[in-house]
Amino acid sequence: MNSTKTTNDENRANKRRVSKMELLATFAFFVANWIFWGVRYDDFLFVSQENSLFLFRWDFFLDWIGTPGGFLGYLTAFFLQFSYFPLLGGAIWAFWGTALHWTTAKTLNLRGVGYVFSFLPSCCLIVSATWVGYEVYIPFNASLIYNGFVGATLATAAFAGFRSIKSCRARLLFALGVGSFAYPGFGFWAAFFLFICGLDEATTRWASDAQFSEEQISKKRILSAPTRRAIALTASAAIIPLAWYYFKYFSCIKFCNFWIQGLIDDVRDKPYVVSAFSYGFASLAAFFYATTLVFSKILGNRAAKNAGRGKKSKRDREKTANARILNDKTFEKTSKKSNVKASEKGADVDEAETARRLERAAAKSRTRLFWELTAVVWAATFAISYRPATFFSVLASTRALADGDWERVLESESRLTQPNVQNVALRNLALFETGALAEKAFERPISGLSTSRISEIDLNRAQAGSSYYRCKFWLDALALESESSSRRASIETIFCYYGRSNIAARIATDNFVATEGRSASCLKTLAICATINGEKNLARRYLNVLAETLFYRNWANERLAFLETEDFRRGIRDSLDDAEYAARLKEREDAAPTRESIENAARRFGVDSENLRKIAKKVEKARSLRPLKDAPTPKGYPNLTFFLNLFVDDFDDATPEVRELELVGALLQKNGDFFLKHVDKYLEERGFAKGGAPKAIEEGLATWRFSAFGDDWDKIEYQFRPETVAGLTAFTNFVNSVQDSNSPSAQAQIREYCAGTYWGFGADQSIYEYQN
Amino acid sequence: MSDEKSNRNESVENISDFALESAASELASSEKKRKKLGFVAAAFFVALTLAAIVSTRLGGSGTPPPLGEIVDVDKLPVIYPDYLETTFPVNIAPPNFRIEEDGDRFWTRVSGSVGGESTISGRDVRFPMQKWRRLAEQNAGGRLEIEIYVRKNGVWSKYRTFGVGVSPDRIDPFVAYRLIEPGYEFGRRIELAQRSLETYRESIFFDNRASATSPCVNCHSFQNRQTDRFLFHFRRSDAPQESGTIVVENGEARKVDARLEAAAVSCSYPAWRPTGDLVVFSANKTRQYFHSLSSQKIEVYDFFSDLVLYDAKTDELTPISQTDADFETFPTWAPDGKKLYFCSARVELEALSPENATLDEAAKTKKLEDEAKLRTKDFRYNIMRATFDEKTRTFGPTETVVDAASRGRSALHPRVSPDGRFLAYTQIESGTFPIWRPEADLYLLDLATGETRPWDEVNGENADSYHTWDSSGRWLVLSSRREDGQYTRLYFAHVDENGRATKPFALPQKDPTSDRRRFKSYNIPELIAEPIDVDVRELTRAAAETATRRTAP
């Protein structure tokens, strides 16, 4: 009897230990989640909330709930606003991640090692959020990054309700009822709930199914009731949204979105890729549910309990527990009688002891397995979450911009060995704002690779068998790269800070339209632009909305107060007179530089024409490196190249700082015509002594005047100005001295000497390859 | 003894039973009392909540100002929308407004010149619908005097009384418009809406989100302000072959391939002839460019523009004008359908010169587009008129009605009043797109006398552009950016028989500030005499089908 009692006690103690272990794991999961979001992904969280908006207002709420899944989006936006303080936001998303895990564990009754599987849906959503987050950073639909946490948790909670119902009819009605009424508010997740109910129905044997033969149930014959229920529920996951679409949402959502609406709204530019990813990850979540269901069966936590006996209600479970206690007592009584006999048999005691030892060892091994599996799941989540350095540098810079901290932008970019175009753009902006653009623009790489664009090096690595780079290839094929439309992400801010208020407002307006008016970041830009333009009422319109938010209130109120000051009234710039503008345009066109032949120029300035020919060959070679005219890639970049393409006509109207910016932009763009056309005016206005202009301008001046050759060498025409003669000779000599440009030191020299020209560009690229 | 004992025991038992009973009854009664108290408390809280809700709904933060303690303020109160000294039609929905003065309590008294009075407390002055109707009906042709009292720091102030007129002329009860975010390249959610002017009810009759690629929808036009026949355009820039014109006749919609093949251009700016089956379109090739510093943010220009006659019965498209050197646009019919008004600009582009005739079509188009962009400021439109012969379906010689070009201006959007006496148009410095021109103003031409004048009564500080008359010719709706220069809002003005207009009032809203939070423009307002009663599904179905034409081109 004693040994039995001891065994029972041990069992109970073991259960308690397992419970504690599970609780500990849950707590650790919460903490890990918190660190993940609040510390490691803090910039990500901050920028997400900037690209979202929550207003505690009825019409805003009504606007949200106009489309399926709107209520969930509204809820998510509510939680997301707290990510203004990433640690607080991190705690919130950690809570929802943990809540999802907890509801999964409780709903599926996962215990012991099986408990680890309850982490999977949360981990899957974390991975999904980081990847989708990267993708939707561009269209700014931030709340769809996170709505999975809330949606999946609520769906699982409803699923728990479903499983607690014994009557199959009531269960079916419950699922259909919840699915039907939840669809408008929760969109995809209502359908998801129905889907997992169907899955559960297909894999569970209920007591009420006793009327069906074992053969019928095991073979899941189409006519058996459990199968019919499973089919009905799974089908309703598609039919209910379809019905809602037909009767209610026909006019405001696209047919292709009727199912996934709520999980994801259609985002512009690349809706299918984004949809595919979100959908894929959601399906993956469903897959993990299926996995956990299957594992729960293998581990016997559910299948054994339900097989042939039916699923038990709480009352039934209590009855069973009482019966067990009673059985234990009866067993005790019987054991008392046999105790004497047992004591006589010392061998039996040893056997029991051995059994206990074995059990302890097994428990230990289970514990080890539990923690090992947990560690593997978390480590995998951590490892496959999307965190490229360039993207996170962009996020860090964007966050720094919100504080106007230019040094942080520069510091963030300087850590990168291979910046992407957005990093370069933000770095240039920081240099411009700190007045060092013309001095330092070319000290760092002037071109960048897009984050997931396959470079030649990557290609080699992939061919050498690297699975990581193969994966990159695969992703590239799916066009998962934000750079292709990166101007959406940061260009409004960039133009705004460059003082191009109209264009910044134009892009911000487009982005604002894309988010259906739910972006604090766009509102901020629009308010700033309107203030710069002196459009008081317009600025007030945007600021009044921001003043209703929880965390941008002070920001908005300060600016609202500024609109009433004398400083604002003085700052309103006079609009240009159109006729005057046209006259200036004509004057500029008339004053376009004239050209002459290379021989004439060589004669005039006393330069050896052969030297010029050598230079010309270099120029020709370098020219092949520059982006093709009208090539879409550089045009779309939010850097000075793109900037210049739009505003070449504004040079005369710009401030001296912006003129300098445009000249540097011309160098980046290899637009020598523009550079030569305007550089004199700039130099004259700034009053620089010869050779005293900022480095980029000086070098651009020297080299561009050599590079203005046409492609037809026989009819070369170019222009020289007297002040460049010395530079010409020096440059010719220099080019001769570095004929062997394959050596890294020569390349470095070229880069140092010729930065700001397409010579520099070519050298820059070659150095890149050498370094990598 | 034992009996005594037993008696005592019995009595003790009785006592204890009694005590228990009384204790139990006490408990029960105290339970009842508690329940009662709880009920009373709950009722109190419910009543309190209801009162709070009611007072909030009524905006009741104040009581009538005590007499004798009022300070007169010699200025007009600031209210939003600005309804000071405006005139409303008798059938308009209550023109609610917000008092924008500093204060903690507000009180408003509205009294009619003929009779009737209404008092409302709160910053938001929201008239109850029935009360407003009675007041308006009672004072039709008269005025409503509005007194506003504001309490600040315990002192009540009375602002200068202002009045609003109530015109007995009823306005067409509905207005149709397009709701569009003023984006530049991206129309995520464009809706065609109708709004009852007698209530606040707005309904969407077409939403571009229903279509696969969220196309642009624009240029809705009704025949003679009736809704049994109307059309609008449906454009897909990514798939021009799927673009088309949705023509709705008696509730049935179809997508018509209204493209001028010769020029490979879709038709736009429609004008239904008041009777019959004819519509005149303008076929335009349009581009836009942006100013990064100018106060004018955007310029939209045409580099091809001709007029086309469309027969809704046969779907036949007949070019009216095919002149390269003249850009014709914005057609509109005289009320009798015998004359067509339109805008025309003489353009002398090098790309159209004989030297460039040998260029291939793509190169020519590119050259034309580039040159038109540079020369936009030279394009100045006049308003022209041509007679129309219904039998032969031909147009007579054109005559200039408004010669704006010679004054260095561009006259656009002609609209003839239903009585045929006045022509209202928009004037800008140059070009064809007034909505992005801050200087855009309305002008009025008296067709009887030929006198033209800037319509100062209705013009605001920013762009005033698209306008239409109602059926009676007594009301005009115009779209204007006077509020902030960015978001177009609707304004209504009364016009008397001599063309004198009253100060325009903004479209009334139930929540007076709701338009401040609406980040959409009201575009192309068209007053209509009856509601649009077409199933959204029918329109969406038609939008999804392939555009066809009954008569082969």
Side-chain angles (χ1 to χ4, degrees):
Chain A
M1 188 250 159
N2 280 342
S3 70
T4 314
K5 199 177 175 181
T6 316
T7 312
N8 285 335
D9 287 347
E10 274 187 6
N11 280 341
R12 280 186 203 118
N14 194 34
K15 274 182 187 170
R16 275 202 297 277
R17 192 175 54 78
V18 169
S19 288
K20 274 184 191 167
M21 191 168 73
E22 287 166 0
L23 271 177
L24 189 65
T26 299
F27 178 70
F29 185 66
F30 173 81
V31 174
N33 254 283
W34 193 359
I35 294 168
F36 182 89
W37 287 119
V39 179
R40 191 169 156 80
Y41 278 72
D42 55 343
D43 295 331
F44 184 95
L45 271 187
F46 181 83
V47 175
S48 299
Q49 70 77 32
E50 269 226 316
N51 292 333
S52 169
L53 182 73
F54 179 80
L55 302 174
F56 193 66
R57 216 176 51 200
W58 185 242
D59 53 352
F60 185 74
F61 174 72
L62 288 181
D63 190 48
W64 258 111
I65 62 168
T67 46
F71 181 70
L72 182 63
Y74 183 77
L75 264 184
T76 311
F78 168 75
F79 291 118
L80 191 56
Q81 67 178 327
F82 296 101
S83 299
Y84 185 85
F85 301 110
L87 272 179
L88 177 61
I92 287 168
W93 298 117
F95 164 78
W96 279 108
T98 312
L100 177 58
H101 134 73
W102 182 259
T103 44
T104 307
K106 291 294 149 193
T107 309
L108 299 180
N109 197 20
L110 299 173
R111 305 297 308 273
V113 178
Y115 195 75
V116 179
F117 292 100
S118 65
F119 294 121
L120 289 178
S122 299
C123 292
C124 180
L125 282 174
I126 288 170
V127 174
S128 156
T130 60
W131 281 81
V132 176
Y134 165 70
E135 188 63 17
V136 299
Y137 169 67
I138 306 311
F140 296 160
N141 202 338
S143 93
L144 73 85
I145 302 173
Y146 303 93
N147 73 9
F149 291 101
V150 186
T153 307
L154 297 178
T156 315
F159 178 51
F162 169 83
R163 283 172 63 95
S164 69
I165 301 170
K166 232 166 83 175
S167 153
C168 61
R169 189 174 296 172
R171 211 164 48 236
L172 198 66
L173 284 175
F174 172 78
L176 292 176
V178 169
S180 302
F181 289 107
Y183 179 74
F186 296 90
F188 166 82
W189 294 104
F192 179 77
F193 159 73
L194 286 165
F195 177 72
I196 54 174
C197 287
L199 201 67
D200 185 60
E201 203 66 45
T203 52
T204 308
R205 286 176 170 187
W206 299 85
S208 54
D209 294 333
Q211 51 182 304
F212 299 96
S213 72
E214 196 65 24
E215 193 190 0
Q216 273 178 319
I217 294 172
S218 63
K219 287 186 179 172
K220 295 285 176 212
R221 281 174 57 176
I222 196 76
L223 290 176
S224 78
T227 315
R228 279 210 301 263
R229 287 200 302 273
I231 290 170
L233 284 168
T234 314
S236 66
I239 292 167
I240 287 172
L242 197 62
W244 272 105
Y245 167 76
Y246 186 75
F247 290 109
K248 173 94 169 88
Y249 299 113
F250 186 81
S251 64
C252 65
I253 60 170
K254 297 172 183 37
F255 176 74
C256 61
N257 280 343
F258 84 89
W259 202 64
I260 59 168
Q261 187 88 18
L263 169 71
I264 177 167
D265 196 356
D266 55 318
V267 286
R268 71 183 189 186
D269 291 342
K270 292 191 288 179
Y272 302 112
V273 173
V274 180
S275 302
F277 263 82
S278 308
Y279 183 79
F281 276 112
S283 309
L284 220 56
F287 166 75
F288 279 121
Y289 271 112
T291 314
T292 41
L293 276 168
V294 170
F295 270 96
S296 72
K297 278 189 158 188
I298 291 170
L299 295 167
N301 284 333
R302 289 194 66 250
K305 202 188 282 178
N306 293 328
R309 286 187 289 144
K311 188 176 157 46
K312 289 177 179 175
S313 66
K314 196 180 172 187
R315 206 170 156 192
D316 287 344
R317 283 201 296 275
E318 278 169 9
K319 272 187 193 170
T320 317
N322 290 339
R324 258 191 221 139
I325 294 164
L326 202 67
N327 284 341
D328 283 351
K329 280 180 183 167
T330 323
F331 186 70
E332 247 178 75
K333 278 178 194 167
T334 0
S335 300
K336 261 185 192 173
K337 287 177 191 169
S338 56
N339 201 19
V340 185
K341 288 177 190 172
S343 63
E344 285 167 3
K345 295 178 180 175
D348 288 353
V349 175
D350 288 345
E351 271 177 29
E353 186 60 30
T354 315
R356 274 199 294 278
R357 267 189 213 145
L358 281 171
E359 176 56 32
R360 268 187 223 125
K364 256 189 190 172
S365 115
R366 279 201 297 273
T367 308
R368 203 167 51 239
L369 183 64
F370 176 89
W371 287 112
E372 279 169 0
L373 272 176
T374 305
V376 165
V377 168
W378 293 358
T381 306
F382 198 77
I384 61 177
S385 294
Y386 194 77
R387 204 183 191 286
T390 45
F391 177 50
F392 272 70
S393 169
V394 170
L395 295 178
S397 297
T398 310
R399 192 176 165 194
L401 277 179
D403 305 331
D405 189 345
W406 306 109
E407 293 305 324
R408 239 165 72 209
V409 177
L410 291 172
E411 193 253 318
S412 153
E413 194 272 342
S414 67
R415 283 200 298 262
L416 299 169
T417 50
Q418 207 173 16
N420 69 15
V421 284
Q422 281 196 75
N423 303 129
V424 172
L426 290 164
R427 187 261 317 265
N428 285 342
L429 175 63
L431 287 175
F432 173 68
E433 285 290 328
T434 51
L437 182 67
E439 278 305 316
K440 296 182 178 172
F442 303 98
E443 285 184 359
R444 292 271 300 148
I446 59 167
S447 66
L449 295 174
S450 60
T451 312
S452 56
R453 176 70 51 82
I454 305 298
S455 69
E456 222 169 288
I457 306 141
D458 292 347
L459 179 68
N460 295 336
R461 284 170 183 166
Q463 281 169 347
S466 163
S467 52
Y468 175 74
Y469 285 96
R470 277 183 184 173
C471 183
K472 261 188 107 176
F473 265 113
W474 178 72
L475 290 171
D476 197 55
L478 285 176
L480 182 75
E481 48 144 331
S482 62
E483 284 74 19
S484 63
S485 51
S486 58
R487 63 196 178 108
R488 301 264 178 245
S490 46
I491 199 166
E492 58 173 69
T493 321
I494 289 170
F495 281 120
C496 186
Y497 281 101
Y498 279 145
R500 302 301 196 180
S501 50
N502 279 359
I503 198 69
R506 177 170 79 83
I507 296 162
T509 304
D510 273 335
N511 287 332
F512 195 55
V513 171
T515 60
E516 300 205 354
R518 295 164 193 159
S519 162
S521 143
C522 290
L523 280 172
K524 279 170 72 182
T525 312
L526 288 167
I528 292 169
C529 291
T531 309
I532 293 169
N533 284 351
E535 296 162 315
K536 188 174 171 179
N537 287 339
L538 189 61
R540 204 182 273 154
R541 182 187 288 274
Y542 299 124
L543 290 170
N544 278 334
V545 176
L546 283 171
E548 287 182 46
T549 61
L550 207 54
F551 299 111
Y552 292 99
R553 186 175 292 164
N554 292 341
W555 188 94
N557 285 333
E558 278 168 21
R559 276 149 190 84
L560 277 169
F562 173 73
L563 294 178
E564 305 304 325
T565 61
E566 190 55 37
D567 283 349
F568 170 74
R569 279 190 283 277
R570 254 202 317 271
I572 299 173
R573 58 177 170 68
D574 296 324
S575 58
L576 286 165
D577 178 64
D578 288 332
E580 203 182 300
Y581 177 81
R584 275 208 300 273
L585 193 70
K586 193 169 181 310
E587 193 186 314
R588 284 213 302 272
E589 279 163 9
D590 293 344
T594 51
R595 295 177 167 201
E596 60 181 342
S597 71
I598 188 171
E599 282 74 19
N600 281 347
R603 239 189 339 267
R604 208 145 61 88
F605 300 115
V607 182
D608 180 16
S609 59
E610 273 313 299
N611 273 345
L612 279 184
R613 287 194 195 286
K614 283 177 189 170
I615 294 168
K617 277 181 187 167
K618 286 271 181 189
V619 169
E620 201 171 27
K621 191 180 169 192
R623 184 173 277 167
S624 66
L625 290 167
R626 70 177 165 173
L628 293 172
K629 197 183 174 194
D630 297 330
T633 316
K635 243 183 151 181
Y637 289 170
N639 57 19
L640 299 175
T641 297
F642 180 72
F643 179 77
L644 192 72
N645 274 348
L646 287 171
F647 305 114
V648 286
D649 285 345
D650 288 331
F651 188 86
D652 284 355
D653 305 323
T655 58
E657 293 77 19
V658 173
R659 284 182 192 172
E660 183 174 289
L661 166 82
E662 291 190 352
L663 289 173
V664 178
L667 295 175
L668 278 164
Q669 198 190 18
K670 290 80 188 168
N671 187 342
D673 291 341
F674 180 90
F675 183 84
L676 291 175
K677 196 169 162 182
H678 296 295
V679 69
D680 289 336
K681 185 170 181 157
Y682 161 81
L683 291 171
E684 186 188 336
E685 184 184 72
R686 299 298 293 265
F688 289 122
K690 197 178 275 186
K695 189 172 147 191
I697 304 289
E698 279 294 322
E699 290 171 354
L701 196 68
T703 51
W704 263 105
R705 286 190 171 144
F706 284 93
S707 62
F709 300 118
D711 291 328
D712 189 350
W713 197 237
D714 293 333
K715 298 172 189 167
I716 287 173
E717 288 183 335
Y718 64 103
Q719 68 147 7
F720 285 112
R721 296 282 170 89
E723 70 267 22
T724 62
V725 176
L728 170 66
T729 309
F731 188 66
T732 312
N733 294 335
F734 166 75
V735 169
N736 285 333
S737 71
V738 288
Q739 284 293 327
D740 181 17
S741 60
N742 289 329
S743 84
S745 61
Q747 287 170 353
Q749 246 185 310
I750 291 173
R751 188 170 164 227
E752 180 61 26
Y753 195 86
C754 307
T757 68
Y758 53 74
W759 289 84
F761 180 79
D764 196 64
Q765 291 293 76
S766 62
I767 287 170
Y768 237 128
E769 285 183 26
Y770 175 77
Q771 283 174 343
N772 285 286
Chain B
M1 176 71 187
S2 65
D3 284 351
E4 259 180 39
K5 209 174 185 178
S6 66
N7 284 341
R8 208 179 298 142
N9 282 345
E10 238 173 59
S11 65
V12 168
E13 270 172 23
N14 286 341
I15 290 164
S16 63
D17 280 354
F18 175 75
L20 271 173
E21 265 173 35
S22 62
S25 74
E26 237 174 68
L27 259 175
S29 72
S30 71
E31 187 67 23
K32 269 183 190 171
K33 271 182 192 168
R34 209 174 300 139
K35 271 185 183 172
K36 213 180 236 177
L37 265 174
F39 178 75
V40 170
F44 176 73
F45 278 114
V46 168
L48 210 65
T49 314
L50 280 175
I53 291 169
V54 168
S55 77
T56 314
R57 295 286 296 171
L58 294 176
S61 60
T63 50
L67 288 168
E69 295 178 25
I70 303 164
V71 178
D72 278 330
V73 179
D74 188 24
K75 75 178 226 305
L76 286 165
V78 179
I79 61 169
Y80 178 84
D82 175 12
Y83 287 147
L84 305 181
E85 304 301 333
T86 53
T87 298
F88 297 105
V90 67
N91 59 330
I92 198 80
N96 299 337
F97 60 87
R98 163 169 283 209
I99 302 164
E100 303 251 85
E101 298 291 347
D102 272 355
D104 46 50
R105 287 190 179 186
F106 304 85
W107 193 76
T108 305
R109 187 202 330 250
V110 183
S111 45
S113 56
V114 177
E117 189 185 277
S118 180
T119 58
I120 294 158
S121 55
R123 185 186 276 278
D124 282 355
V125 179
R126 297 187 187 204
F127 299 93
M129 183 70 86
Q130 292 308 320
K131 219 170 194 177
W132 166 259
R133 280 202 197 296
R134 276 199 301 275
L135 205 57
E137 291 286 352
Q138 203 175 348
N139 293 283
R143 274 169 70 82
L144 297 173
E145 298 293 328
I146 300 174
E147 297 162 48
I148 289 178
Y149 298 80
V150 177
R151 197 186 79 164
K152 192 179 174 187
N153 302 328
V155 181
W156 282 97
S157 306
K158 178 180 176 286
Y159 285 81
R160 209 191 296 162
T161 304
F162 65 93
V164 294
V166 181
S167 166
D169 298 325
R170 302 178 84 83
I171 191 169
D172 282 344
F174 292 89
V175 61
Y177 44 81
R178 178 170 69 152
L179 284 171
I180 182 171
E181 292 124 326
Y184 299 85
E185 49 183 87
F186 189 68
R188 186 184 180 83
R189 188 173 166 184
I190 302 175
E191 296 157 314
L192 296 180
Q194 61 175 332
R195 158 75 198 265
S196 163
L197 293 174
E198 296 178 343
T199 64
Y200 303 107
R201 191 177 157 70
E202 181 184 74
S203 58
I204 308 297
F205 63 92
F206 190 80
D207 187 329
N208 75 331
R209 288 178 301 174
S211 186
T213 50
S214 300
C216 177
V217 285
N218 54 9
C219 296
H220 48 277
S221 174
F222 302 86
Q223 186 174 36
N224 219 10
R225 299 176 191 85
Q226 303 298 311
T227 58
D228 49 354
R229 259 184 153 185
F230 71 95
L231 57 82
F232 63 90
H233 295 308
F234 180 92
R235 273 192 206 150
R236 282 184 58 174
S237 53
D238 59 328
Q241 71 280 5
E242 288 182 32
S243 302
T245 299
I246 312 289
V247 179
V248 184
E249 290 179 279
N250 301 316
E252 278 183 27
R254 62 199 171 87
K255 187 151 86 175
V256 177
D257 176 17
R259 268 189 307 161
L260 195 60
E261 278 78 15
V265 58
S266 291
C267 296
S268 53
Y269 303 131
W272 280 93
R273 194 160 176 266
T275 52
D277 303 313
L278 299 177
V279 182
V280 174
F281 284 110
S282 161
N284 307 60
K285 284 183 182 171
T286 307
R287 294 284 183 276
Q288 60 181 1
Y289 68 89
F290 307 97
H291 299 277
S292 65
L293 291 172
S294 168
S295 58
Q296 184 201 337
K297 295 173 184 171
I298 185 170
E299 183 67 84
V300 181
Y301 64 97
D302 289 340
F303 62 98
F304 176 91
S305 186
D306 274 339
L307 296 182
V308 183
L309 187 68
Y310 164 74
D311 186 335
K313 210 167 191 178
T314 60
D315 289 344
E316 197 180 346
L317 278 171
T318 318
I320 299 172
S321 60
Q322 281 183 302
T323 47
D324 283 346
D326 292 312
F327 284 2
E328 293 94 356
T329 188
F330 299 129
T332 187
W333 291 93
D336 58 4
K338 288 178 181 165
K339 288 188 189 102
L340 181 78
Y341 290 82
F342 58 93
C343 300
S344 176
R346 171 58 56 95
V347 292
E348 284 159 2
L349 299 175
E350 205 187 303
L352 297 169
S353 65
E355 297 92 76
N356 290 310
T358 49
L359 289 175
D360 66 73
E361 203 50 45
K364 200 174 167 182
T365 307
K366 180 81 178 67
K367 202 170 171 59
L368 195 61
E369 189 183 332
D370 290 346
E371 199 183 348
K373 180 180 176 180
L374 288 172
R375 300 272 310 278
T376 312
K377 289 183 171 58
D378 298 336
F379 295 176
R380 294 198 164 88
Y381 289 77
N382 288 329
I383 294 177
M384 317 294 280
R385 178 168 60 190
T387 52
F388 178 66
D389 184 340
E390 194 177 358
K391 282 181 190 163
T392 57
R393 292 192 172 185
T394 52
F395 290 88
T398 55
E399 57 174 315
T400 306
V401 182
V402 177
D403 182 7
S406 65
R407 287 182 278 119
R409 293 288 183 269
S410 197
L412 304 154
H413 292 163
R415 286 283 187 280
V416 186
S417 63
D419 59 5
R421 181 169 168 194
F422 297 108
L423 179 108
Y425 63 94
T426 310
Q427 186 169 293
I428 54 177
E429 283 180 8
S430 61
T432 180
F433 216 73
I435 196 69
W436 287 106
R437 291 299 194 104
E439 81 276 8
D441 273 338
L442 294 194
Y443 279 66
L444 188 72
L445 168 68
D446 188 334
L447 289 167
T449 63
E451 273 177 36
T452 187
R453 67 179 180 93
W455 215 354
D456 291 335
E457 307 96 279
V458 297
N459 287 328
E461 279 179 15
N462 218 300
D464 301 298
S465 58
Y466 201 94
H467 48 276
T468 49
W469 300 86
D470 88 327
S471 317
S472 67
R474 287 289 155 262
W475 292 97
L476 182 92
V477 61
L478 66 136
S479 55
S480 174
R481 293 192 164 170
R482 65 190 63 187
E483 200 173 302
D484 57 21
Q486 176 84 354
Y487 293 92
T488 317
R489 297 287 178 251
L490 300 187
Y491 291 82
F492 302 81
H494 183 262
V495 186
D496 67 16
E497 58 275 14
N498 298 316
R500 304 301 308 175
T502 56
K503 179 183 167 186
F505 65 88
L507 176 69
Q509 301 289 359
K510 190 173 186 181
D511 175 352
T513 57
S514 62
D515 265 348
R516 274 190 177 159
R517 297 190 298 266
R518 191 172 213 178
F519 291 102
K520 280 174 180 286
S521 281
Y522 293 76
N523 211 223
I524 317 174
E526 293 281 349
L527 284 161
I528 43 178
E530 56 188 15
I532 298 159
D533 187 21
V534 183
D535 189 3
V536 175
R537 278 188 191 80
E538 174 65 9
L539 294 179
T540 312
R541 181 201 55 73
E545 69 186 23
T546 310
T548 53
R549 216 185 281 180
R550 286 168 183 159
T551 314

